[in-house]
């Protein structure tokens, strides 16, 4: 009729099931810990770059958006020149952005340590973010130098359509990659 499992076999089966549950629990704890570390590392990278992004946002606002016109390929100057006060603000905001980037680079050891904990998608986002920020910094340095020139400070000057366009593109790319670091 009914067969009875011998006690030794039941003990063996019980031990095996207990071991399986213990292993599964240990794996879950390890994966959860790794997920938390990745999340915290991505948060640290995001926080480290947030000051640079904020400064870029302010600079883009002051420098302005590019106009939509057909002759920008022939003439890079925008139609309405910026005043001396506008250029002074651009110089100041570009200077703050460069200072924030220098501060970020001085703390790069913290960012580098966090990068080792990132997952594949976050690592790809970080590498693209870093590339975009470095290219943007080159443009901001040129813009900062132009804003410091005496003729621009005294008489004003038109903005560059291509620089306005590039700053907007950099801002959009950097914001997109920062959003991936969650």
């Amino acid at each position: 009729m009914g067969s009875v499992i011998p006690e030794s076999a039941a003990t063996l089966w019980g031990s095996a099931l207990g071991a399986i549950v213990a292993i599964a629990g240990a794996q879950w704890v390890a994966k959860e810990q790794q997920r938390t570390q990745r999340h915290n590392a991505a948060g640290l990278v995001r926080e480290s770059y947030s000051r640079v992004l904020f400064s870029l946002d302010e600079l883009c606002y002051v420098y302005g958006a590019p106009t939509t016109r057909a002759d920008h390929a022939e003439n890079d100057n925008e139609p309405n020149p910026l005043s001396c006060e506008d250029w002074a603000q651009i110089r100041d905001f570009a200077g703050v952005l460069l200072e924030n980037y220098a501060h970020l680079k001085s703390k790069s050891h913290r960012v580098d340590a966090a990068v080792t904990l990132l997952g594949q998608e976050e690592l790809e986002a970080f590498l693209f973010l870093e590339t975009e920020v470095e290219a943007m910094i080159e443009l901001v340095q040129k813009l900062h130098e132009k804003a410091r020139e005496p003729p621009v400070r005294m008489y004003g000057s038109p903005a560059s359509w291509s620089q306005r366009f590039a700053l907007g593109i950099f801002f959009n790319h950097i914001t997109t990659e920062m959003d991936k670091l969650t």
Side-chain angles (χ1 to χ4, degrees):
M1 285 209 171
S3 63
V4 176
I5 299 177
E7 189 175 322
S8 61
T11 303
L12 182 64
W13 275 100
S15 296
L17 287 175
I20 290 171
V21 169
I23 290 171
Q27 285 180 336
W28 179 83
V29 167
K31 285 181 182 178
E32 186 63 22
Q33 183 180 14
Q34 186 180 33
R35 187 193 68 75
T36 302
Q37 286 177 337
R38 284 182 178 170
H39 179 74
N40 291 342
L44 177 65
V45 171
R46 183 179 171 84
E47 182 63 29
S48 298
Y49 278 86
S50 64
R51 290 174 62 179
V52 171
L53 180 63
F54 180 75
S55 299
L56 177 60
D57 184 29
E58 289 181 330
L59 179 62
C60 286
Y61 177 76
V62 171
Y63 196 50
T67 57
T68 53
R69 34 184 211 128
D71 66 341
H72 64 82
E74 298 166 9
N75 183 5
D76 194 40
N77 291 335
E78 290 283 25
N80 300 325
L82 296 173
S83 68
C84 302
E85 294 81 19
D86 293 337
W87 280 106
Q89 282 187 320
I90 290 167
R91 182 194 64 231
D92 294 343
F93 282 118
V96 169
L97 178 72
L98 294 172
E99 288 172 10
N100 286 338
Y101 181 71
H103 178 75
L104 171 68
K105 283 302 177 187
S106 72
K107 303 287 184 183
S108 66
H109 61 280
R110 293 183 66 203
V111 174
D112 292 343
V115 167
T116 62
L117 299 172
L118 295 177
Q120 181 179 350
E121 290 178 11
E122 291 89 1
L123 183 60
E124 289 174 4
F126 168 74
L127 293 174
F128 188 71
L129 171 69
E130 192 173 44
T131 304
E132 287 292 303
V133 167
E134 288 174 4
M136 178 267 304
I137 288 297
E138 289 179 24
L139 176 62
V140 171
Q141 287 171 336
K142 291 176 186 175
L143 186 60
H144 188 249
E145 289 300 317
K146 179 177 180 178
R148 294 175 66 201
E149 292 175 357
V152 171
R153 287 189 321 211
M154 295 174 67
Y155 305 111
S157 174
S160 165
W161 184 91
S162 60
Q163 286 179 341
R164 281 182 170 174
F165 182 77
L167 278 177
I169 294 295
F170 285 135
F171 180 76
N172 288 337
H173 286 176
I174 291 169
T175 303
T176 301
E177 297 309 314
M178 291 273 288
D179 289 343
K180 292 178 184 177
L181 293 171
T182 56

